[in-house]
Amino acid sequence: LNKTNCDVSNNVNSLINRWNGRAYTQRFYDILEKRKTLPVWHQKEEFLKALKDNQTLILVGETGSGKTTQIPQFVLETLELESRDKCNKYMIACTQPRRVAAMSVARRVAEEMDVNIGEQVGYSIRFEDCTSSQTVLKYLTDGMLLREAMTDPLLGRYNVIILDEAHERTLSTDVLLGLLKEVQKNRPDLKLVVMSATLEAEKFQGYFCGAPLMKVPGRLHPVEIFYTQKYEDDYVEAAIRTVIQIHTCQPPGDILVFLTGEEEIEDACRKIKKEIGNFGDSVGPALVVPLYSTLPPAMQQKIFDPAPSRLMPNGPAGRKIIVSTNIAETSLTIDGIVYVIDPGLAKRKVYNPRTRVESLIVSPISKASANQRSGRAGRTQPGKCFRLYTEKSFHNGLQSETCPEIQRSNIANTVLTLKKLGIDDLVHFDFMDPPAPETLMRALELLNYLGALDDEGNLTRLGEIISELPLEPQMGKMLVVSPELNCSNEVLSICAMLSVPNCFVRPRKAQKAADEAKARFAHIDGDHLTLLNVYHDYKQNNDDQSWCSENFVNYRVLKSADNVRQQLACIMARFNLKLCSTDLNSRNYYINIKKAMLSGYFMQVAHLERTGNYLTVKDNQVVHLHPSSRLNHKPEWVIYNEHVFTSKDFLRTVTDVRGEWLIDMAPHYFDLVNFPHCEAKRVLEKLYKKKERKADINTKKLSFRV
Ligand code: ADP
Ligand code: MG
């Protein structure tokens, strides 16, 4: 990086886009004018000089100052200029914690550069690679960069790596920070830019031994904050009420509402539309748009549509109302927001290493998050933020910062990745904030039980294959084992279906019909096999879209399951894992599938007690089958895919298994010496005795024959 005096405007004078040889479109010039007003543009020279002089740089700036969209382009220009003389290849990576952000930002930048997405600018997220051999700027999730490091430990293809949204402190970003610090020792040419929205900047600086910190001054307008007088117990209802009040009484300006998840958001959008509809023409037209991670890309783009215009020349102004998860907190910048409604909650991952349960729980956000949220109201003009909690609870009830994800997650997958990267001494790995020792122990224990790590903690051959599969280790194990049980076709389909969002649709107006449709897919042995039925029927009907809508399953979701399946099949082929099936008419067809699942999920088993309750095996927690489960005959033993905590402790995606299989397939886990006293233990004891007797009889038979 030795030429810093390049400028897009010089190249613009040429009228020809150097990336593809086409003339620039008018849209390019329009966007360019907007880009030039972004705060980071005023620090372009300073930034490029600092990057030239340092191996690592920390860049801090308000959300919306242009970090994510502009900084990678600045770097790109410099690299492009350099390579003109030397004809060398170059590439930039810019990580994002969220898939939605990686896709959306890549699209925007492609538009800014006037190129097609996937050509010079692309993105890569789990199960979707939108890049090509021409790609020089790649937006990717932090998890994907970590995966790339597994095959290319020095990340040799990149000249500059930008870790964006570092303040989010996701598990993968934290691991990348430590990893890249190591990699840089071996690659003095590798430049690293750590970007974050305010806060914790000094902490990053300390971690990178005093790397220079560059601050992009924000241009926030004042935001007036309002609190409620008393505690609101129905925050969704309170949020909707506030939206209606703003829309009917406040001057023009768009509204951003923070809620916690897909269902809640869709529900709120519907209610807001309905209530605004009741006012008729006396209020302005409203565009109500949801935003959450599983929203299809075309719908995600809608958040950038302008507010609708007035219906009559002198009528009330139109308004855009966005109802979003915390994606809109810092990851995506939406212009024109003047009002923010913040119930102070978010869905957050929590992990209890003692019970080994990781769940998403709606919990209070931190003060830092609350301030980020209110900041969204003051981007373009003075704004207002309505906090749906009391001022006292803001000051006394909220933590000042969100705890990093590594301290509230199950880290089995991370440990496996690190082992694969050759980092054996996890205790001394340079984590910015290390995981709790108990969490690390649990992860090692799980991987050892699965056979991914041997008793010395070294990666086994099995572990190596599992680490290359973009699945949680338990699921990876069941897939790797499935060819031996002659059911890899089916297990692969199940893995694919478990890797995409819920495929069942249940429209409010047709709930009964939807439930009936779902019942037709139901398999008596449980939800995994029900998913398999859906996938098989979908394929038998030739991926037909109208078949999907008639049967209340989501076409887009099934299509992506099909795509995921193909990608996993490619990885299996690489390891010579063959695709095979047991004869459908054989009584072993479903037994084999269930055994394969058990080989991965034997640590996620629940036992039905005489009281009628399920208890998780070994942890003895009372759990309930989730109402969405198709398993209604209450089998004695079940394996489950997820343990979620909402109104109760629920098991989601459950399948009936047999007690005998537990002791046959995982005797090392079901050794009764380390077992707490419970009904399950007594049943297992009997099963072990029965097995011994059988073995005795068999040997006797054998000796008899001899
Ligand atoms: P930062 O990373 O500092 O938060 P960004 O680079 O994401 O800032 O955004 C800079 C500006 O780019 C935003 O203010 C917004 O106006 C614009 N922008 C970003 N993405 C889009 C998009 N998909 N459509 C329209 N405008 C966008
Ligand atoms: Mg950004």
Side-chain angles (χ1 to χ4, degrees):
L1 295 168
N2 44 28
K3 285 188 192 164
T4 57
N5 58 343
C6 52
D7 184 341
V8 166
S9 51
N10 294 337
N11 302 303
V12 170
N13 290 339
S14 78
L15 301 175
I16 297 293
N17 189 341
R18 72 197 129 127
W19 295 115
N20 51 25
R22 292 194 287 261
Y24 283 117
T25 59
Q26 185 55 44
R27 176 139 178 87
F28 169 83
Y29 296 104
D30 294 345
I31 300 183
L32 184 61
E33 287 315 306
K34 277 203 204 130
R35 291 169 58 199
K36 286 180 179 169
T37 65
L38 290 170
V40 290
W41 268 71
H42 306 294
Q43 276 158 291
K44 183 174 172 181
E45 301 299 321
E46 189 193 334
F47 166 78
L48 289 174
K49 168 130 187 16
L51 187 63
K52 186 185 157 209
D53 296 340
N54 297 281
Q55 199 182 3
T56 303
L57 196 58
I58 293 150
L59 184 78
V60 175
E62 266 325 316
T63 303
S65 53
K67 299 183 300 297
T68 310
T69 52
Q70 308 309 306
I71 293 290
Q73 292 189 72
F74 295 166
V75 177
L76 186 57
E77 258 173 60
T78 319
L79 290 174
E80 199 265 344
L81 266 182
E82 270 179 17
S83 80
R84 270 188 211 169
D85 312 333
K86 302 187 207 145
C87 293
N88 51 345
K89 275 184 77 101
Y90 57 90
M91 181 122 113
I92 303 167
C94 179
T95 66
Q96 298 292 315
R98 296 192 165 84
R99 298 158 57 92
V100 174
M103 281 192 274
S104 165
V105 166
R107 274 208 198 87
R108 169 69 178 185
V109 172
E111 214 185 351
E112 291 188 358
M113 285 168 53
D114 218 358
V115 298
N116 295 326
I117 182 78
E119 290 176 358
Q120 283 77 14
V121 184
Y123 64 87
S124 172
I125 57 182
R126 188 170 81 136
F127 296 125
E128 191 179 343
D129 182 17
C130 179
T131 63
S132 63
S133 56
Q134 293 163 282
T135 304
V136 282
L137 169 55
K138 174 151 89 177
Y139 286 92
L140 73 179
T141 52
D142 44 12
M144 281 308 289
L145 187 62
L146 205 50
R147 292 221 141 254
E148 288 189 5
M150 285 179 9
T151 44
D152 177 10
L154 291 181
L155 292 160
R157 76 187 85 167
Y158 299 111
N159 307 57
V160 180
I161 292 177
I162 303 170
L163 293 184
D164 197 4
E165 298 273 298
H167 63 270
E168 288 248 352
R169 299 292 310 280
T170 58
L171 195 48
S172 296
T173 291
D174 268 15
V175 175
L176 281 170
L177 285 167
L179 194 67
L180 287 168
K181 220 171 135 174
E182 252 340 274
V183 170
Q184 278 188 319
K185 287 181 196 157
N186 297 311
R187 278 198 56 198
D189 60 311
L190 177 67
K191 303 263 180 185
L192 178 62
V193 183
V194 179
M195 305 206 290
S196 109
T198 53
L199 282 155
E200 288 211 298
E202 283 74 21
K203 192 164 178 182
F204 289 116
Q205 206 176 11
Y207 183 72
F208 281 103
C209 312
L213 173 73
M214 208 175 129
K215 285 192 176 151
V216 183
R219 50 150 192 222
L220 274 187
H221 298 272
V223 175
E224 208 178 335
I225 310 240
F226 300 89
Y227 293 94
T228 52
Q229 292 303 312
K230 58 174 186 41
Y231 170 78
E232 295 279 353
D233 43 45
D234 188 343
Y235 63 91
V236 180
E237 204 270 328
I240 296 170
R241 202 172 352 111
T242 314
V243 169
I244 304 299
Q245 271 166 9
I246 295 170
H247 190 55
T248 51
C249 307
Q250 295 274 338
D254 297 339
I255 307 176
L256 173 60
V257 188
F258 287 99
L259 289 181
T260 66
E262 169 174 352
E263 216 173 306
E264 194 178 87
I265 287 172
E266 288 291 355
D267 203 41
C269 284
R270 200 165 32 238
K271 287 184 180 149
I272 292 169
K273 275 185 212 156
K274 187 161 164 249
E275 291 207 23
I276 291 179
N278 290 343
F279 284 93
D281 291 351
S282 63
V283 299
L287 170 69
V288 185
V289 270
L291 177 61
Y292 47 86
S293 61
T294 50
L295 202 64
M299 294 284 289
Q300 285 162 19
Q301 208 56 29
K302 267 194 156 157
I303 56 169
F304 297 107
D305 287 355
S309 36
R310 300 166 201 273
L311 295 173
M312 293 158 293
N314 290 321
R319 211 187 288 272
K320 177 163 69 174
I321 302 167
I322 298 170
V323 187
S324 171
T325 60
N326 49 1
I327 297 180
E329 199 174 286
T330 60
S331 299
L332 291 178
T333 312
I334 308 151
D335 290 334
I337 302 291
V338 177
Y339 305 96
V340 164
I341 300 172
D342 172 22
L345 298 166
K347 247 189 207 153
R348 201 124 294 132
K349 202 161 36 169
V350 288
Y351 177 62
N352 180 343
R354 194 181 51 78
T355 58
R356 289 185 285 124
V357 179
E358 183 182 73
S359 38
L360 283 172
I361 289 183
V362 172
S363 44
I365 58 173
S366 64
K367 281 196 190 101
S369 280
N371 290 334
Q372 280 294 342
R373 287 180 174 191
S374 59
R376 302 287 68 76
R379 287 252 306 116
T380 34
Q381 66 180 78
K384 291 180 180 170
C385 173
F386 299 87
R387 291 185 176 156
L388 305 180
Y389 40 94
T390 62
E391 186 163 9
K392 195 171 155 222
S393 58
F394 173 80
H395 290 293
N396 304 336
L398 302 188
Q399 287 183 330
S400 61
E401 267 147 39
T402 312
C403 167
E405 196 184 2
I406 197 163
Q407 295 183 334
R408 48 188 171 85
S409 308
N410 170 352
I411 58 166
N413 217 349
T414 308
V415 168
L416 192 61
T417 307
L418 288 169
K419 289 277 177 184
K420 170 74 183 150
L421 287 165
I423 295 156
D424 286 322
D425 186 1
L426 298 174
V427 176
H428 294 106
F429 183 73
D430 189 3
F431 286 113
M432 199 159 161
D433 290 293
E438 200 180 352
T439 302
L440 186 57
M441 284 302 296
R442 283 295 193 181
L444 292 167
E445 182 192 74
L446 180 136
L447 294 169
N448 179 244
Y449 276 133
L450 281 178
L453 297 181
D454 64 21
D455 291 346
E456 273 71 57
N458 298 316
L459 201 60
T460 61
R461 174 74 186 142
L462 176 69
E464 218 159 284
I465 303 176
I466 296 178
S467 77
E468 299 242 356
L469 291 163
L471 303 170
E472 63 173 354
Q474 297 94 314
M475 208 187 290
K477 165 92 183 271
M478 84 178 194
L479 189 57
V480 174
V481 164
S482 64
E484 291 162 32
L485 285 154
N486 210 17
C487 58
S488 47
N489 274 313
E490 291 72 25
V491 170
L492 178 57
S493 305
I494 293 172
C495 288
M497 290 295 281
L498 291 173
S499 301
V500 295
N502 173 23
C503 68
F504 296 106
V505 201
R506 197 167 184 254
R508 200 152 271 255
K509 292 199 185 85
Q511 285 180 348
K512 194 158 166 277
D515 291 343
E516 282 165 10
K518 191 171 174 186
R520 284 197 294 277
F521 293 115
H523 190 288
I524 182 156
D525 287 347
D527 303 308
H528 296 89
L529 298 177
T530 301
L531 289 175
L532 182 65
N533 281 345
V534 174
Y535 180 78
H536 280 164
D537 281 8
Y538 165 76
K539 293 305 282 180
Q540 246 152 35
N541 285 282
N542 306 313
D543 313 9
D544 181 20
Q545 200 160 358
S546 51
W547 176 86
C548 288
S549 50
E550 280 157 25
N551 288 281
F552 296 93
V553 287
N554 187 323
Y555 171 69
R556 192 178 46 83
V557 168
L558 288 174
K559 224 175 111 171
S560 87
D562 211 20
N563 177 291
V564 168
R565 192 181 187 282
Q566 276 170 30
Q567 295 189 40
L568 291 173
C570 285
I571 304 177
M572 288 175 77
R574 250 199 308 145
F575 291 105
N576 286 322
L577 294 167
K578 66 178 191 321
L579 287 180
C580 50
S581 299
T582 304
D583 179 9
L584 185 58
N585 297 314
S586 156
R587 62 180 279 274
N588 284 330
Y589 180 81
Y590 288 114
I591 291 180
N592 286 346
I593 299 172
K594 291 198 288 179
K595 281 186 173 171
M597 294 197 297
L598 185 62
S599 72
Y601 285 95
F602 57 85
M603 283 168 274
Q604 294 181 195
V605 176
H607 180 251
L608 181 67
E609 305 286 290
R610 265 169 304 183
T611 55
N613 280 332
Y614 278 97
L615 283 193
T616 54
V617 169
K618 280 200 181 179
D619 305 322
N620 287 341
Q621 295 196 75
V622 180
V623 284
H624 307 266
L625 303 189
H626 195 267
S628 70
S629 174
R630 300 304 311 171
L631 196 68
N632 17 33
H633 65 278
K634 285 207 157 186
E636 185 181 3
W637 300 94
V638 293
I639 50 168
Y640 56 91
N641 194 52
E642 259 182 301
H643 184 162
V644 293
F645 189 86
T646 46
S647 51
K648 283 188 201 163
D649 260 310
F650 282 119
L651 302 184
R652 202 151 53 190
T653 318
V654 194
T655 288
D656 177 355
V657 292
R658 303 201 37 171
E660 290 85 345
W661 302 345
L662 304 179
I663 58 173
D664 279 348
M665 302 191 62
H668 60 307
Y669 183 74
F670 293 98
D671 73 340
L672 298 180
V673 182
N674 300 312
F675 229 83
H677 284 290
C678 59
E679 235 177 277
K681 180 173 182 174
R682 289 191 289 277
V683 176
L684 288 171
E685 265 164 2
K686 279 186 200 145
L687 289 173
Y688 270 115
K689 290 214 176 95
K690 200 167 138 195
K691 192 177 170 181
E692 275 164 29
R693 278 201 304 273
K694 243 192 194 161
D696 279 353
I697 292 170
N698 281 342
T699 36
K700 272 187 197 139
K701 264 189 198 159
L702 224 62
S703 49
F704 204 68
R705 229 183 284 151
V706 171

